[in-house]
Amino acid sequence: MSDNNILLDVQDLKMYFPITQGLIIQRHVGDIKAVDGISFSIKKGETLGLVGESGCGKSTTGRAILQLYRPTGGHVFFKGDDLTKLKGEALRRKRRQMQMIFQDPYASLNPRMTVGNIISEPLEVHNIYRTKAERQERVQELLRVVGLNPYFVNRYPHEFSGGQRQRIGVARALAVNPEFIVCDEPISALDVSIQAQIINLLEDLQAEFNLTYLFIAHDLSVVRHISDRVAVMYLGKLAELADRDELYNNPLHPYTQALLSAVPIPDPVIEEKRQRIILEGDVPSPANPPTGCNFSTRCPRVMDICKEVDPEFRDLGGDHWVACHLY
Amino acid sequence: MSAQARAGLRPETEGKIFRPRRTLWGDVWHRLRRNRPAMVGLVIIGLMYFTAIFAPLIAPYEYDKIDLENVRAGPSREHLLGTDELGRDVFSRIVWAARSAAFVSITVTSFGLALGTFFGALAGYLGGWVDTLIMRLGDVLFAFPGLLFVFFIAATIKPGLIAWVKAIGLRELARSGYVDYLVVIIALGLVGWPGLARLIRGQLLSLKRRDYILAAQATGVPTWRIMWRHLLPNAMPPVIVAVSGGIGGVILSEATLSFLGIGLQPPNPSWGAMLFQYYGYWRTELWPLLFIPAAVLVAIVLAFNFLGDGLNEALNPQLD
């Protein structure tokens, strides 16, 4: 891809977790294929929504992109540099430009550090300010930016509500002025009323600091609200990727269609006519995915070819990508 | 609309209602203070270490001061708890023995804690074959019956240690009773670390998968800093509980060794050695002497156990 607006380019990313057996000598008996060859790119300033059900590999994708897990295969180009090739200090320095917001605001803040220390740690380890006073000032500014009282610096995480904690997590991610943030289900652990606040905050911050998001979620209406483009993931692979409105109005992959048919419509007349597509069976194990198309075991429109040939993930025109033999 | 107002917050009014400022450790202390047995234990422990530090001021006599005029005397104004068969003041010996117990308990615990933290952190954080090696070594040490192993170490290292101390030119030290302390400390420390290492390793294994560790890695926090700032402080609570209970065990082990004659040697003051000495009196009119070191030992070991239980509850409030 030659578009120099591309901030992140993921090519054939694979993340396998080995299954081992044996007490002393660990024999390698198989792999959990959490992410099995996915490719996509994110433009500068864009939000790419990544949806899929629990266990499909969304979070693993986010972590593999940030090299929190070292990918088994593929490449992650961030502003032209292949992150999978970076190691040690070079990678550590690169982390200043990419951050992460976590799902569980109760687990993602160190309970033994004050809010001030949590937010200033990224500043310290990247030597962004010379003096403690400068850092302190920046921390207070960040607290203000995320809508918290700057006087909270000396408090501990347990003194805050879930929504407030998530704001602290956002402030920590923002501290080093990153360009790219992986939002790993940042609202799924919050109350609905708080979800809206955090979503608004993320949108405002994106506009203010020209941030690029990979927004991982399983709530389809939230993803529709915040994303520019949406990718649908199933069992470690991308099923479909398109512009937000295109995907929601014209879903092509049978899995996307089934997923979207589950979203309730807030209009009783239309809701009455909504046809749900109920999928049969369970998601196969990622340790032993089906041959051919990985959705072939549950697809309502399955054909013979689906069970033998893995469909290619290709552009059907207008940047609408789908992996399905129907098209 | 500002970001804050849109997000539904008014920072100017928020935070005006403060609950009393309290740190995490402040909370722990608050809960501990309401636990009566733990506080009684803390007082007894405090008293023991106070006695140990100020033994020369508290004890009316030296621990090895022999007064042949007053052999086997009953309690009196000069000898609060009477004297033994050599005319040594029992009260003074109890006080001086607190110093032995305090010294041994602190050094053994620090020694064990240092080894345990080092090996446990290494095994837990690095994993893989380092983990396997350290833990199997710990298992081997665990496989021996604890006290028997201590006896074995204490008995085997002593001649070598004395020879070594002489070889490096500290003849005086080799002849004094202080080598006995070294023997006890090394024996108990070597046997004590696998339990702590196992505890710390288990803590790290569960902690290193927490989101806040991942967050620190994502931020680019260097590994050593993750260890010191994030992992070890969070691994501390169960270690504190284990150590506070363990100190009582160390004191008891020292007493056991000395009782059996392989720990501190006479005339070094030790409650265990006193138990052994007074054990011979039990058919004589001096039999009450036997109960004095025994009562002190029981009180102190119980005190450490109560404090350990109290700390356990205070550090894990969900146990209530």
Side-chain angles (χ1 to χ4, degrees):
Chain A
M1 280 181 225
S2 57
D3 193 343
N4 45 16
N5 245 346
I6 301 277
L7 184 77
L8 184 84
D9 189 15
V10 177
Q11 288 177 8
D12 198 28
L13 185 71
K14 289 192 176 102
M15 187 66 231
Y16 296 171
F17 294 102
I19 310 168
T20 53
Q21 259 176 16
L23 201 64
I24 295 167
I25 300 152
Q26 305 251 301
R27 275 178 306 127
H28 184 227
V29 293
D31 287 302
I32 304 268
K33 296 177 176 171
V35 178
D36 196 9
I38 66 174
S39 306
F40 61 86
S41 58
I42 307 179
K43 296 190 202 81
K44 212 169 168 34
E46 177 186 54
T47 299
L48 178 73
L50 184 60
V51 290
E53 56 200 292
S54 302
C56 73
K58 317 183 286 286
S59 292
T60 308
T61 304
R63 289 169 186 194
I65 287 173
L66 293 186
Q67 307 299 309
L68 292 174
Y69 302 151
R70 297 320 292 261
T72 314
H75 304 279
V76 178
F77 291 100
F78 180 77
K79 301 211 292 186
D81 295 325
D82 190 348
L83 298 180
T84 60
K85 299 271 192 297
L86 289 180
K87 269 192 230 141
E89 190 58 21
L91 179 62
R92 200 182 75 77
R93 253 182 271 123
K94 204 81 185 159
R95 294 196 182 282
R96 191 178 155 177
Q97 296 168 39
M98 43 190 201
Q99 290 290 312
M100 184 156 180
I101 297 169
F102 289 83
Q103 171 176 7
D104 183 354
Y106 289 89
S108 59
L109 304 175
N110 186 340
R112 308 227 171 259
M113 282 167 80
T114 61
V115 169
N117 285 338
I118 288 171
I119 300 176
S120 71
E121 181 161 55
L123 302 172
E124 267 176 72
V125 299
H126 289 290
N127 290 320
I128 292 178
Y129 295 101
R130 240 172 275 122
T131 68
K132 209 175 166 191
E134 281 176 318
R135 279 200 299 270
Q136 198 66 23
E137 203 170 304
R138 169 76 174 147
V139 167
Q140 302 216 343
E141 179 198 326
L142 282 161
L143 282 172
R144 228 173 277 123
V145 163
V146 298
L148 289 174
N149 190 326
Y151 297 118
F152 287 170
V153 279
N154 288 325
R155 292 202 188 179
Y156 286 85
H158 72 274
E159 301 179 67
F160 293 91
S161 70
Q164 289 175 315
R165 284 165 155 246
Q166 199 57 300
R167 288 169 191 272
I168 297 167
V170 172
R172 171 177 59 192
L174 285 178
V176 289
N177 276 325
E179 289 174 60
F180 173 61
I181 299 182
V182 173
C183 307
D184 187 3
E185 307 210 28
I187 54 160
S188 13
L190 305 174
D191 286 346
V192 178
S193 56
I194 312 293
Q195 289 188 352
Q197 295 180 7
I198 298 293
I199 288 290
N200 288 341
L201 175 67
L202 289 173
E203 285 186 319
D204 290 342
L205 295 173
Q206 180 167 40
E208 201 172 335
F209 301 112
N210 192 26
L211 297 168
T212 305
Y213 290 147
L214 173 64
F215 193 91
I216 301 168
H218 53 239
D219 185 328
L220 292 161
S221 21
V222 168
V223 169
R224 181 173 197 171
H225 176 78
I226 198 169
S227 307
D228 299 306
R229 286 189 306 144
V230 176
V232 179
M233 204 168 167
Y234 179 80
L235 199 60
K237 289 186 175 171
L238 286 185
E240 191 163 358
L241 168 65
D243 194 70
R244 169 191 52 186
D245 293 328
E246 167 74 6
L247 187 106
Y248 278 81
N249 297 330
N250 182 26
L252 294 178
H253 198 287
Y255 178 66
T256 316
Q257 289 167 356
L259 212 56
L260 290 180
S261 81
V263 181
I265 301 158
D267 178 333
V269 181
I270 308 176
E271 171 71 11
E272 191 92 334
K273 290 192 221 124
R274 181 165 66 97
Q275 290 278 315
R276 276 211 63 185
I277 306 168
I278 310 281
L279 294 176
E280 301 283 324
D282 288 320
V283 185
S285 159
N288 187 21
T291 51
C293 173
N294 63 359
F295 189 53
S296 62
T297 53
R298 303 174 76 198
C299 184
R301 299 169 70 184
V302 64
M303 303 176 293
D304 287 340
I305 184 176
C306 301
K307 297 186 168 156
E308 280 145 33
V309 184
D310 191 10
E312 191 194 340
F313 189 62
R314 60 206 171 86
D315 189 357
L316 297 183
D319 214 19
H320 193 143
W321 297 68
V322 69
C324 186
H325 288 301
L326 287 168
Y327 307 98
Chain B
M1 246 197 302
S2 76
Q4 289 91 328
R6 224 187 124 194
L9 282 179
R10 283 159 299 164
E12 292 76 24
T13 56
E14 174 127 346
K16 282 282 149 67
I17 306 163
F18 290 106
R19 75 169 174 90
R21 291 277 319 117
R22 216 184 265 160
T23 62
L24 272 179
W25 293 111
D27 266 351
V28 169
W29 172 239
H30 181 77
R31 281 191 292 268
L32 186 67
R33 227 171 35 189
R34 285 184 303 190
N35 186 328
R36 199 159 290 166
M39 290 319 285
V40 172
L42 201 61
V43 168
I44 293 176
I45 292 163
L47 210 62
M48 174 193 140
Y49 284 101
F50 179 83
T51 310
I53 292 166
F54 297 105
L57 302 178
I58 296 168
Y61 303 94
E62 283 291 311
Y63 61 87
D64 52 357
K65 171 90 164 55
I66 294 171
D67 178 4
L68 292 173
E69 310 269 298
N70 278 308
V71 170
R72 294 172 174 236
S76 66
R77 197 170 278 242
E78 287 77 43
H79 302 286
L80 282 176
L81 295 173
T83 59
D84 64 7
E85 59 198 358
L86 294 172
R88 294 181 297 196
D89 183 52
V90 172
F91 177 69
S92 298
R93 282 185 69 73
I94 289 280
V95 168
W96 281 102
R99 191 168 249 207
S100 302
F103 179 66
V104 169
S105 64
I106 286 174
T107 45
V108 167
T109 306
S110 321
F111 186 39
L113 195 61
L115 282 179
T117 307
F118 179 73
F119 286 121
L122 220 56
Y125 195 75
L126 293 180
W129 65 267
V130 179
D131 180 24
T132 310
L133 188 77
I134 293 173
M135 284 302 117
R136 291 304 85 77
L137 185 68
D139 287 347
V140 169
L141 288 177
F142 257 131
F144 292 100
L147 266 180
L148 203 64
F149 195 46
V150 174
F151 299 161
F152 172 75
I153 298 176
T156 41
I157 62 172
K158 193 173 174 182
L161 200 65
I162 289 177
W164 178 73
V165 169
K166 272 185 187 156
I168 60 171
L170 299 167
R171 266 170 193 289
E172 281 304 306
L173 182 67
R175 234 172 298 142
S176 73
Y178 292 115
V179 175
D180 299 332
Y181 286 92
L182 265 178
V183 170
V184 170
I185 290 163
I186 292 171
L188 290 177
L190 280 181
V191 176
W193 72 265
L196 280 171
R198 197 178 263 193
L199 189 69
I200 288 168
R201 166 184 177 267
Q203 280 288 306
L204 291 201
L205 281 184
S206 88
L207 289 174
K208 76 176 181 184
R209 288 275 158 251
R210 297 281 165 95
D211 275 356
Y212 59 83
I213 301 300
L214 216 56
Q217 285 166 347
T219 303
V221 180
T223 305
W224 58 266
R225 190 180 160 119
I226 289 180
M227 190 61 116
W228 277 110
R229 291 287 298 268
H230 296 269
L231 285 172
L232 286 179
N234 281 291
M236 268 359 259
V239 175
I240 292 170
V241 172
V243 163
S244 71
I247 297 176
V250 168
I251 292 175
L252 201 58
S253 300
E254 180 271 309
T256 310
L257 283 178
S258 303
F259 178 83
L260 292 170
I262 34 183
L264 304 184
Q265 305 296 326
N268 285 334
S270 154
W271 293 322
M274 290 170 82
L275 269 178
F276 178 72
Q277 186 195 349
Y278 302 158
Y279 188 59
Y281 297 168
W282 79 279
R283 281 202 238 216
T284 72
E285 77 286 355
L286 286 177
W287 64 268
L289 278 185
L290 185 55
F291 290 93
I292 295 166
V296 171
L297 267 173
V298 167
I300 282 165
V301 172
L302 274 181
F304 275 108
N305 284 344
F306 282 143
L307 180 67
D309 279 351
L311 280 170
N312 197 19
E313 275 172 37
L315 291 161
N316 305 298
Q318 62 268 39
L319 280 182
D320 300 336

